[in-house]
Amino acid sequence: MEPLRKFSVFSQLPESLESLNYLARNYWFEWNTEIESLFRSINPALWEACDHNPVWVLSHTPQERLNYLGGDPAFTSRLNRLVQAQKAYVEAPCPHVMGGAGTGPEVAYFSLEFGVSKSLPIYSGGLGILAGDHLKSASDLNVPLIGVGLAYSEGYFRQYLTVDGWQQERYPEYDYSQMPLQQVVQADKTPVRITVNIGRVPVVAQLFKAKVGRIPLYLLDTNIPENPQDLRQITARLYSGNLEMRLRQEILLGIGGVRALRELGLAPSVVHMNEGHCAFAALERIRMLMQDHSLSFDEARGIAMAGSVFTTHTPVPAGNDRFPPALMEAYFSEYARELGLSFSEFLGLGRESALNESEDFCMTVLALRCSWLSNGVSKLHGQVSRKMWHKIWPNFPVADVPIGAVTNGVHAPTWVAPEMRSLYDRYLDANWREGADLKVWHKAKDIPDIELWRAHERLRARLVDFIRARLYAQKQKQGARASELEAVNDILNPEALTIGFARRFATYKRAQLLLHDIESLRRLVADTNRPVQFVFAGKAHPADNEGKQLMKDIITLSRSDTFRMHMVFLEDYDMEIASYMISGCDVWLNNPRRPLEACGTSGMKAMFNGVLQFSTLDGWWAEAWTPDNSCGWAIGEGEEYEDAAYQDSVELQTLYRRLEFDIIPEFYDRSRGGMPASWVRRMKTALSKFGPRFHSHRMVQDYLNTAYMPACAGVARMQEHNFALAKELSAWHHDILEKWRSLTITQVETEAVNASEALDGDELYVGQMLKVTARVFMAGIAPEHVRVDIYAGPLGHDDSFIDRYVVPMVPEGPAEDGWQYYKGLLHARRTGRLGFQVRALPSYPLMPDASILGLVRWAE
């Protein structure tokens, strides 16, 4: 039976404490340690028990305690000071002039998950944590941005282990009225609702709002009585359910998210799609532009593309959502008609080969086809993405596929542990929180060695205490005997070299690699003079039995007599466990198969706490590591293997050799004061080099400068004068598509210039210039709409380009009978083999990179 009415019951705050609600309803407490400390002091035990949820603390703290604090002048004075600090922070004027034509914030950041806080469990791992850090840095930098996601009533699964170490999942149901969220209501206090057709069924969603510092995060929720039970489940669980449920969630996020913004009176110029899950947002923007302004699909698409930024995170084809045509037809046949497209044309938007009728519809392809600006999340991942999606641009060399790279960063104020934070405040000054100041992070070298080391030792000891407490509770739940519980107090050594491994238990991350040589592992942990210990944590997807088996193997080994005091697996990996591990370990181990790790931001978090890296050269470490090992160590030299078993064998040997002969000896090479001077030097070098490079402030600033601001300006120009430029761009595009196939480049000729003496054949001196001319049949295309380049670079042994650069060519003389001569000068920059080609690309002033059209012509 349903209740007649529902209420949320809270403790009554004394008048002097009413402003606690203001602090509790903003996630700024996640990186403002004074506010966090204030809430912790109200009820320390409850603060820990409720996953650091200030709203829960206020509603469940006994009234007597609240009354006492309300009469405590020290507490109320502290509260008032922090309220003023938060108001000053939140209300600071935005310094960024974006140049957009939208209303409200200019950028909407869409993501299927957000890792803002442990008390908001709508994240599973790295993608969500990255999204949360993006919002936090956008807040600190005061970027006019909002977040859009889904409100999962059961979140991502909580992990527990059976007695034999097999992962099980449970899904607690969360009460959003007891979280730092607010239901979005209209002026008359009725809830805001939006409707989305999911298939042929209208689904209603309500909205919740989380404040992340200055940034509002809107979350859509279908778990309301207006919906049938099966559709209420759309926002039940993150990454759970079948393919059809995933499609429903992505329709709600993309189409529903855009409609929610409109319902709120917001019209951001730019949509940033964090992974392909969000790609339907681009289609809904197109549909709305068509409907509101009587534009054609191509006209509206040009505007939407100009204002779309897409970040891909997945370096393997199987990790990108794909839906079979029959399923897409069931959900999108009517929507395709609204876009003025045949269903075949609609499916082509999500296919690598648009005309391949047997190909599934891919969300990443849709996002790439609907965005002017796309990027991977590290330099190596950008290269991998260009290769992976080359089919969309088949006439381009892989290196020229229009997918760039913005390397991820992490929000240091969130992830730096209190002991390190105190050091940084004293020796770097408070500006270390702002991220990208080279001078500030260079001061890390001024931190006294002994202070840095003692702070790190305290963090290691804190980690060991935390692990023992978690293991004790874990074993208690499993019904362990009293002797087993007592033995927990001796697990791990707070002074031993501690190596951490924590991440999703996908097979390519190779959590089990160490276990392939049990004898070497046994030798390491048995050394009483130089003890080594390992801490593991992570989750496998509920459907990934192979990942679960890897986890079980590690857990079984950690419970054996040989390893149980030196190796642990922590159950239910989350933001809290991560914060202890990334600050308390000495070495952060990461050994994925290159190049399958897109970035690996957990290593960045560890780095900010002085933890040294030991990783394969993949993700961010491929661009951070230097051969002198001054900031950490590499497993291998960036090789890529076709034989996975052989790769495991080679890299396993490298891993143990590096541990035994470099890492362990250096850690235990102590001065009289017990400090490893060389080790501490590496810690300081890493902080000074990497602090500014891998802070999420730098990442958001990169997006702001290279994507958000140009996109805002481009959309604003397209909307001027009744969308005149958008219509012009569409007409130009149609004209180019019709004429491009006839454009021809012939009669490419060269002539050496400024040579001191003639050389035979195809020989040049370094520094010599080569005049290149080409005859181009323009096919009726105006010269200003064609870019002709010399495409040149050094050659490898197989005559392929090792690297390439382009030199623009210019028209020479008037066109005759449709033919135009072009000329350019090629500079022989260095010795070796040099090659060139001549190419033509379409050119249009508004487009940042016309290669996204996929049109190119090479000389014949």
Side-chain angles (χ1 to χ4, degrees), residues 7 33 89 94 152 165 238 242 347 383 435 458 476 537 607 674 695 700 732 738 765 785 790 834 845 849 860:
F7 301 90
T33 52
Y89 175 84
C94 176
Y152 305 101
L238 172 63
N242 57 23
L347 288 178
Q383 296 172 20
R458 289 193 295 274
Q476 256 190 333
M607 174 275 298
H695 197 299
V700 171
W732 169 82
E738 182 181 331
Y765 287 122
H785 290 155
I790 302 170
L834 173 69
D849 184 358
E860 298 175 355

Side-chain angles (χ1 to χ4, degrees), residues 20-249:
L20 277 171
N21 277 320
Y22 172 72
L23 293 183
R25 298 285 177 176
N26 192 315
Y27 281 99
W28 196 38
F29 69 81
E30 273 294 324
W31 69 102
N32 185 301
T33 52
E34 287 189 275
I35 296 176
E36 184 212 28
S37 176
L38 180 79
F39 282 112
R40 184 188 296 274
S41 71
I42 294 172
N43 194 327
L46 187 56
W47 177 257
E48 292 301 329
C50 71
D51 291 337
H52 305 175
N53 180 346
V55 172
W56 185 274
V57 167
L58 295 183
S59 63
H60 289 78
T61 294
Q63 190 67 49
E64 308 81 61
R65 172 65 175 164
L66 295 175
N67 292 340
Y68 170 79
L69 293 172
D72 181 351
F75 186 89
T76 55
S77 174
R78 185 181 174 197
L79 168 62
N80 293 335
R81 177 174 57 81
L82 291 174
V83 166
Q84 291 306 310
Q86 182 163 297
K87 285 182 176 178
Y89 175 84
V90 170
E91 297 171 6
C94 176
H96 303 290
V97 179
M98 303 285 284
T103 56
E106 290 287 3
V107 181
Y109 185 91
F110 281 63
S111 183
L112 199 60
E113 53 174 305
F114 285 91
V116 173
S117 169
K118 185 182 179 184
S119 64
L120 183 61
I122 57 170
Y123 66 93
S124 70
L127 177 71
I129 300 300
L130 181 278
D133 283 3
H134 194 107
L135 297 193
K136 292 172 183 177
S137 277
S139 174
D140 288 343
L141 295 171
N142 208 345
V143 175
L145 180 145
I146 51 180
V148 181
L150 302 183
Y152 305 101
S153 57
E154 298 177 22
Y156 195 53
F157 74 88
R158 304 302 297 265
Q159 178 194 62
Y160 69 96
L161 303 174
T162 61
V163 175
D164 66 347
W166 189 258
Q167 173 183 290
Q168 296 290 324
E169 299 86 32
R170 62 183 179 88
Y171 292 89
E173 190 157 348
Y174 298 102
D175 182 356
Y176 274 27
S177 70
Q178 297 286 320
M179 291 184 178
L181 300 170
Q182 295 169 308
Q183 188 173 25
V184 182
V185 296
Q186 303 181 73
D188 62 0
K189 303 301 182 183
T190 59
V192 170
R193 297 280 201 268
I194 61 106
T195 302
V196 182
N197 278 355
I198 296 191
R200 293 178 175 83
V201 181
V203 175
V204 181
Q206 64 181 344
L207 299 176
F208 287 94
K209 178 182 178 181
K211 295 178 182 176
V212 186
R214 299 179 174 114
I215 305 298
L217 168 60
Y218 293 100
L219 304 172
L220 285 77
D221 175 29
T222 63
N223 188 20
I224 52 179
E226 291 92 323
N227 294 319
Q229 187 59 41
D230 63 322
L231 296 178
R232 293 177 68 166
Q233 295 301 306
I234 292 174
T235 54
R237 297 176 179 179
L238 172 63
Y239 300 139
S240 182
N242 57 23
L243 197 62
E244 187 170 11
M245 179 58 78
R246 175 68 68 87
L247 179 59
R248 290 174 172 183
Q249 289 183 329

Side-chain angles (χ1 to χ4, degrees), residues 701-745:
Q701 194 72 53
D702 283 353
Y703 280 116
L704 182 66
N705 295 335
T706 64
Y708 298 163
M709 295 183 74
C712 272
V715 170
R717 287 184 62 197
M718 283 200 180
Q719 292 177 339
E720 291 173 355
H721 309 300
N722 193 29
F723 302 93
L725 285 177
K727 295 172 182 177
E728 180 185 308
L729 174 61
S730 176
W732 169 82
H733 186 203
H734 278 284
D735 186 59
I736 284 287
L737 288 175
E738 182 181 331
K739 296 175 178 177
W740 191 258
R741 68 189 65 185
S742 299
L743 188 142
T744 309
I745 305 172

Side-chain angles (χ1 to χ4, degrees), residues 593-669:
R593 297 190 197 281
R594 176 185 164 114
L596 301 182
E597 182 83 286
C599 187
T601 50
S602 63
M604 297 178 187
K605 299 179 185 80
M607 174 275 298
F608 271 108
N609 286 283
V611 176
L612 297 182
Q613 308 296 308
F614 184 33
S615 174
T616 48
L617 292 179
D618 202 1
W620 79 285
W621 193 235
E623 64 192 80
W625 176 80
T626 53
D628 62 2
N629 295 317
S630 60
C631 304
W633 298 271
I635 301 170
E637 298 180 359
E639 304 91 345
E640 295 177 18
Y641 299 79
E642 293 185 6
D643 185 332
Y646 179 68
Q647 179 180 6
D648 288 353
S649 174
V650 171
E651 294 185 345
L652 179 67
Q653 293 178 49
T654 303
L655 189 157
Y656 275 109
R657 189 163 55 246
R658 183 68 77 183
L659 277 173
E660 292 188 62
F661 296 104
D662 295 311
I663 296 175
I664 296 172
E666 185 167 313
F667 181 84
Y668 285 106
D669 181 14

Side-chain angles (χ1 to χ4, degrees), residues 70 138 230 244 391 393 506 516 577 579 606 618 638 667 675 698 702:
D230 63 322
E244 187 170 11
K391 282 186 181 179
W393 294 273
H516 288 186
I577 291 177
S579 68
D618 202 1
F667 181 84
M675 184 188 69
R698 186 274 311 152
D702 283 353

Side-chain angles (χ1 to χ4, degrees), residues 463-492:
L463 171 64
V464 171
D465 287 344
F466 173 78
I467 288 172
R468 289 171 176 173
R470 290 293 291 244
L471 289 178
Y472 190 93
Q474 192 172 313
K475 288 182 177 296
Q476 256 190 333
K477 285 188 297 183
Q478 294 172 347
R481 297 189 301 272
S483 59
E484 290 181 90
L485 293 175
E486 187 176 343
V488 168
N489 292 323
D490 295 322
I491 286 177
L492 301 186

Side-chain angles (χ1 to χ4, degrees), residues 258-297:
V258 171
R259 293 185 185 179
L261 295 179
R262 166 163 290 195
E263 188 66 26
L264 296 169
L266 303 174
S269 294
V270 177
V271 163
H272 186 167
M273 297 175 286
N274 188 43
E275 192 55 289
H277 312 130
C278 322
F280 292 136
L283 293 183
E284 181 63 7
R285 296 181 84 204
I286 294 170
R287 192 196 65 80
M288 283 185 172
L289 284 164
M290 294 172 66
Q291 174 185 283
D292 295 346
H293 304 287
S294 300
L295 299 174
S296 69
F297 176 82

